[in-house]
Amino acid sequence: MRCIFVVLNFIFIFSGCASKPTAVEAPPTITVWHWMTDREPAFQKLAKDYQAQSGIKVNFELYAPSDAYSQKIRVAAQGENLPDVFGILGETRDFAAFIKAGHILDLTPYMDAHSGAWRNSLFNKALAVNEFREANSYGVSAGVYGVPLDVTTIQMLYNKDLFIELGLDPEKPPLTFKEFLEIGKKIEQADMQGLVSGWGETWMIDCLVTNYAFNVMGEDKFLATIRGEVLYTDPDWVRVFTIFKEMQESGVLAGGIVTMINKVAEQLFANNKAVFAFNGSWCVNVYKGMNPNLNYAAMLPPKVADEYPIAIWGGAGSSFMVNARSKNKEQAVEFLKWLTAEKQQAYLAEATMNLPANKESLEKIPGILLQFGDDMDLVTHPNTWGVSEFPLVIEAIDRGIQSIIIGEKTPEELAREVQEIKERELAKKR
Amino acid sequence: MKIKPTLENYMFVLPAVLIFAVFYIIPFIWVFQLGLFQWDGISPTRVFVGLGNFKEILFQDKIWWQSMRQAGYITFIALTFQNALAFLLAWACAREIRLKNFYRLIFFIPPVLSEVVVGLVWQWILDGHYGLLNNWLAQLGFANLARNWLSNPETALTTVAIAHSWKGFGWGFLIFLAGLQTIPREYYEAARVDGANAWHCFKSITVPLMIPIAVLVGILTILGTMQAFVLIIAMTEGGPAYHTQVPVLRILASMRGSSRFGYACAQGITFGMILVIISFIQYRFSRQYRRI
């Protein structure tokens, strides 16, 4: 009996080692982790379409809010459990760290295949956000590491109805900073709310600082400051910080803007309670949901100086990356090619009111969204600069601008303080 | 012969020791170890900086100490205003009043609400232009007191502290109420027979017997309030400027905003040690008080 048991055991053990009977391999399932709550229904629909066409199942998994998503991605990266496709919500240095840790596939060969057909179908500025150039300061090998899903630009908006109430021409938004400040006085006299934005979340302050830094000193000097070649105490930087003081003094900023979260800002603007807003192109969808009758238009931030053009933050709104360690990476790349093709992009733009990353789909989007798309030439983004500022310096600028607005610091004091932090960080790096 | 019972005793406490080690001691050591490195949380390599992160926290990071002072201020408001309110309401509900069960339920609603929701509701109440508070002040003839409560550096921290106290007083209320109900009725009856009035009963019976409970509530308030951050994020995001920053927000800023995981770990350890020291002092103080 004992003998039979031992023999049976052997049979069971070695049957496990035997080669499996040949069977048709099931198509893989591509797993995508995303954070875009508003796009979830559209993604699910596209996943079904893709399965019907290719036989490959795409599993979109939503993890929101974005903070939680970000954290999940980091933890998954540490445990090497990233899905086939994912996004990175962070700054360029985070993106670079993921690439250097071997988590992200270099998509350059796929982009350049067939005479660069995939690359050429996408907006250059959107692609640039996912691209690292030769000799970048992050030490990342040159290449394209992400696929833009849509395009975002952050601009100013004005309420046409409130413009009429203020006795202004609704078709003539202010072009110069002087005109903008003049409107501020009218807003204050009419006891209205001026510019609303999520400046409590600080990163939007950073956007506007960059816009005006480009306008006042030009891109080269701006980047030289980041490299540590120009001081923040330079008169041009003091001028940039002074812009916020002037805005506050003119009455063009809404009360409480320094602690305002963007959702509140969006509610105020959508409900005709603020004349101006500083917001991203995603707002078209948000405002539509809050007040479909809102009568508004997009405008560039009014220029302070004429020598250099104003820049606006933008580029890829959301991007997807392919896990370099995934066994389904080829299928994942194919799926992303399909997702960014003209038809799917047009559907996404229509369903989610976001600017498509595919150039050919732009013709099919609604008018107000097109106003955001018109200024793609002026777009800049930290990912495209090749250098990045120390986070502590950025925080000091953003919080310092809040201090200027509440009258706690002067632009000169802020400039000195930021430069001190910059020097401390540079010393640490050395 | 003596080894066996000793071993048996150790075996009984072993599961608890193991759980404590796995979930508290090992993570603590690990976080401390990470605090000795410069690390972005993603890269496979870390740069050893020794106690450099701790040195920076202690001697260079002014914002960290500002956040500690601000957390201390919110804690002070919680210890005084919040706990006094909790005690008074518990004392009122412990007496034979009408609808006392209804009040107990009402007072315990704020602690069970989501902090984010509470923060957003308070933000709406305190809004400078459309907020209820300023509207009420104007209707009552105090329009000159109306202001942007959350974006004014003079009022932001106190406003956040009051909102935090409103959110948190229910816990103290519940513990005080439980404590008050354990005081034997006979003490009060005997005191009344001896001619004591309500104030004498409160001063000579209720207060002394509630001191251990007050110490417990005090410790829980300090630990809970020093670590508060969700409500603050929802109300002010730590602004304006750094006026409502608290230590946990600074740790989050280091970890998420700056990708300085090593520094954030060092901040976490420093903060934890400060809380341990405060709790230890409070414990010693309460022991002395009980002896008196």
Side-chain angles (χ1 to χ4, degrees):
Chain A
M1 189 65 195
R2 204 172 168 182
C3 221
I4 294 168
F5 183 73
V6 170
V7 169
L8 276 173
N9 250 348
F10 264 94
I11 290 167
F12 276 122
I13 290 164
F14 286 103
S15 67
C17 298
S19 62
K20 282 182 187 170
T22 330
V24 180
E25 259 186 46
T29 297
I30 300 169
T31 305
V32 184
W33 286 0
H34 78 102
W35 65 96
M36 296 164 265
T37 324
D38 62 327
R39 272 161 258 195
E40 173 67 3
F43 283 154
Q44 294 300 343
K45 196 243 169 217
L46 287 169
K48 272 184 195 162
D49 291 354
Y50 191 66
Q51 191 173 9
Q53 277 182 33
S54 67
I56 293 176
K57 191 181 174 197
V58 181
N59 196 10
F60 274 99
E61 292 178 18
L62 172 67
Y63 298 99
S66 50
D67 283 352
Y69 176 82
S70 238
Q71 217 49 39
K72 186 174 174 64
I73 289 292
R74 276 177 185 274
V75 173
Q78 282 163 24
E80 297 195 357
N81 297 319
L82 284 165
D84 305 311
V85 178
F86 59 96
I88 292 172
L89 301 174
E91 293 182 26
T92 320
R93 88 183 73 82
D94 299 319
F95 189 14
F98 269 85
I99 296 167
K100 286 199 279 186
H103 296 303
I104 299 176
L105 184 70
D106 182 359
L107 298 170
T108 316
Y110 305 95
M111 286 281 168
D112 292 342
H114 310 293
S115 314
W118 194 13
R119 183 192 281 271
N120 295 333
S121 70
L122 304 169
F123 276 111
N124 284 339
K125 299 263 183 176
L127 204 59
V129 170
N130 296 301
E131 193 168 8
F132 284 84
R133 291 182 191 156
E134 289 290 350
N136 58 79
S137 68
Y138 304 98
V140 172
S141 309
V144 178
Y145 291 90
V147 182
L149 197 64
D150 52 44
V151 175
T152 294
T153 61
I154 298 173
Q155 296 195 35
M156 279 198 187
L157 303 135
Y158 67 99
N159 184 311
K160 288 185 173 184
D161 291 341
L162 294 182
F163 253 50
I164 294 167
E165 272 185 46
L166 288 167
L168 301 164
D169 184 345
E171 301 309 321
K172 283 186 182 169
L175 296 175
T176 67
F177 194 63
K178 202 179 160 198
E179 287 170 12
F180 186 55
L181 296 185
E182 287 298 322
I183 295 175
K185 284 174 196 157
K186 288 189 177 184
I187 289 170
E188 205 168 45
Q189 281 162 9
D191 198 24
M192 283 182 184
Q193 289 283 287
L195 177 79
V196 290
S197 186
W199 287 4
E201 296 161 43
T202 68
W203 71 271
M204 288 191 105
I205 298 178
D206 199 29
C207 287
L208 201 59
V209 169
T210 311
N211 293 168
Y212 281 120
F214 270 65
N215 182 221
V216 169
M217 66 190 79
E219 185 174 357
D220 292 342
K221 191 169 178 180
F222 173 82
L223 294 180
T225 315
I226 295 179
R227 287 193 296 267
E229 296 156 15
V230 172
L231 305 182
Y232 277 102
T233 46
D234 184 278
D236 279 349
W237 274 104
V238 175
R239 176 72 193 111
V240 172
F241 299 149
T242 307
I243 287 167
F244 291 86
K245 187 176 177 236
E246 289 171 354
M247 280 200 272
Q248 174 62 14
E249 285 170 353
S250 77
V252 81
L253 297 181
I257 193 170
V258 285
T259 50
M260 195 178 279
I261 55 169
N262 209 36
K263 197 43 80 187
V264 171
E266 284 169 346
Q267 279 165 351
L268 287 171
F269 189 75
N271 291 309
N272 294 311
K273 286 180 175 169
V275 181
F276 294 105
F278 181 62
N279 209 352
S281 48
W282 63 80
C283 69
V284 176
N285 198 26
V286 177
Y287 295 150
K288 192 185 160 201
M290 289 176 173
N291 179 7
N293 300 319
L294 183 66
N295 185 15
Y296 69 108
M299 62 180 245
L300 288 173
K303 281 175 81 173
V304 172
D306 290 324
E307 199 179 340
Y308 300 103
I310 195 133
I312 50 170
W313 259 38
S318 328
S319 297
F320 278 145
M321 287 83 195
V322 176
N323 181 357
R325 294 188 174 93
S326 162
K327 61 178 194 281
N328 302 325
K329 58 188 168 207
E330 293 299 325
Q331 290 89 341
V333 171
E334 281 309 310
F335 170 67
L336 289 181
K337 266 187 200 169
W338 180 85
L339 192 64
T340 49
E342 189 184 342
K343 192 180 162 200
Q344 285 67 246
Q345 283 281 294
Y347 168 74
L348 268 176
E350 198 190 332
T352 66
M353 299 289 272
N354 282 293
L355 283 167
N358 189 307
K359 286 184 241 175
E360 281 98 45
S361 313
L362 202 59
E363 289 161 11
K364 294 161 190 165
I365 61 170
I368 182 71
L369 203 54
L370 205 55
Q371 290 179 20
F372 281 93
D374 278 352
D375 302 309
M376 284 300 284
D377 293 343
L378 299 173
V379 157
T380 187
H381 192 277
N383 284 24
T384 63
W385 299 338
V387 284
S388 69
E389 188 51 279
F390 297 108
L392 290 182
V393 173
I394 295 171
E395 190 190 8
I397 292 174
D398 297 345
R399 295 279 175 194
I401 296 288
Q402 290 185 340
S403 293
I404 289 176
I405 293 170
I406 60 177
E408 206 176 43
K409 274 181 196 155
T410 64
E412 291 78 10
E413 281 170 345
L414 174 61
R416 281 195 297 273
E417 209 174 280
V418 172
Q419 186 56 34
E420 267 175 38
I421 295 170
K422 175 86 181 181
E423 279 164 19
R424 205 192 307 150
E425 291 301 297
L426 281 170
K428 265 194 241 167
K429 206 177 169 186
R430 279 183 220 121
Chain B
M1 286 302 281
K2 229 180 161 186
I3 294 171
K4 202 186 166 196
T6 313
L7 207 66
E8 263 178 20
N9 289 344
Y10 277 117
M11 289 305 285
F12 280 118
V13 294
L14 188 66
V17 170
L18 277 177
I19 289 170
F20 188 72
V22 168
F23 291 104
Y24 292 90
I25 297 172
I26 295 171
F28 179 85
I29 294 167
W30 198 25
V31 170
F32 177 76
Q33 186 211 340
L34 286 175
L36 303 175
F37 288 89
Q38 199 177 53
W39 184 44
D40 60 13
I42 304 160
S43 303
T45 52
R46 301 167 191 165
V47 181
F48 182 74
V49 290
L51 295 171
N53 285 332
F54 292 93
K55 204 173 126 193
E56 189 179 335
I57 293 164
L58 293 174
F59 303 111
Q60 288 179 340
D61 196 340
K62 288 179 198 160
I63 307 299
W64 168 261
W65 292 108
Q66 183 184 344
S67 74
M68 282 297 297
R69 282 195 300 276
Q70 284 162 186
Y73 177 77
I74 298 173
T75 305
F76 173 73
I77 300 279
L79 277 173
T80 51
F81 170 69
Q82 175 187 314
N83 287 349
L85 183 72
F87 181 74
L88 284 175
L89 292 174
W91 182 67
C93 282
R95 296 158 72 88
E96 289 307 314
I97 55 164
R98 286 180 66 192
L99 298 172
K100 66 177 181 182
N101 287 334
F102 173 73
Y103 292 132
R104 284 175 191 179
L105 182 74
I106 293 290
F107 296 148
F108 198 62
I109 286 176
V112 294
L113 293 175
S114 148
E115 287 198 63
V116 175
V117 173
V118 170
L120 293 175
V121 170
W122 273 97
Q123 201 187 43
W124 177 63
I125 293 170
L126 299 163
D127 184 89
H129 278 261
Y130 306 105
L132 282 179
L133 181 63
N134 282 352
N135 196 16
W136 289 335
L137 285 172
Q139 281 179 358
L140 293 168
F142 298 109
N144 56 326
L145 293 178
R147 65 198 62 213
N148 266 310
W149 297 93
L150 293 174
S151 50
N152 184 333
E154 286 166 13
T155 54
L157 189 62
T158 306
T159 310
V160 166
I162 290 169
H164 174 82
S165 294
W166 179 85
K167 170 87 178 72
F169 86 90
W171 291 114
F173 165 80
L174 208 67
I175 300 170
F176 279 129
L177 187 64
L180 286 166
Q181 285 171 342
T182 61
I183 301 174
R185 292 264 151 227
E186 291 80 9
Y187 291 3
Y188 293 102
E189 284 163 13
R192 279 202 195 95
V193 169
D194 289 343
N197 59 20
W199 168 245
H200 286 133
C201 288
F202 178 75
K203 193 180 70 170
S204 306
I205 300 171
T206 311
V207 172
L209 290 175
M210 286 299 287
I211 283 173
I213 306 290
V215 170
L216 171 73
V217 172
I219 291 174
L220 292 177
T221 305
I222 290 174
L223 295 180
T225 309
M226 287 296 284
Q227 295 178 70
F229 75 101
V230 179
L231 188 75
I232 300 169
I233 288 184
M235 288 179 77
T236 63
E237 291 267 349
Y242 295 99
H243 289 287
T244 56
Q245 288 280 326
V246 287
V248 182
L249 279 184
R250 295 314 303 158
I251 296 170
L252 273 175
S254 301
M255 194 175 267
R256 283 209 322 240
S258 315
S259 296
R260 299 172 78 199
F261 264 62
Y263 190 72
C265 289
Q267 282 177 318
I269 292 289
T270 310
F271 185 50
M273 293 315 292
I274 291 169
L275 290 185
V276 167
I277 292 166
I278 292 171
S279 302
F280 184 71
I281 292 169
Q282 206 176 8
Y283 175 71
R284 293 289 298 223
F285 177 73
S286 70
R287 272 181 59 184
Q288 271 183 358
Y289 207 90
R290 264 181 254 169
R291 257 184 243 141
I292 293 165

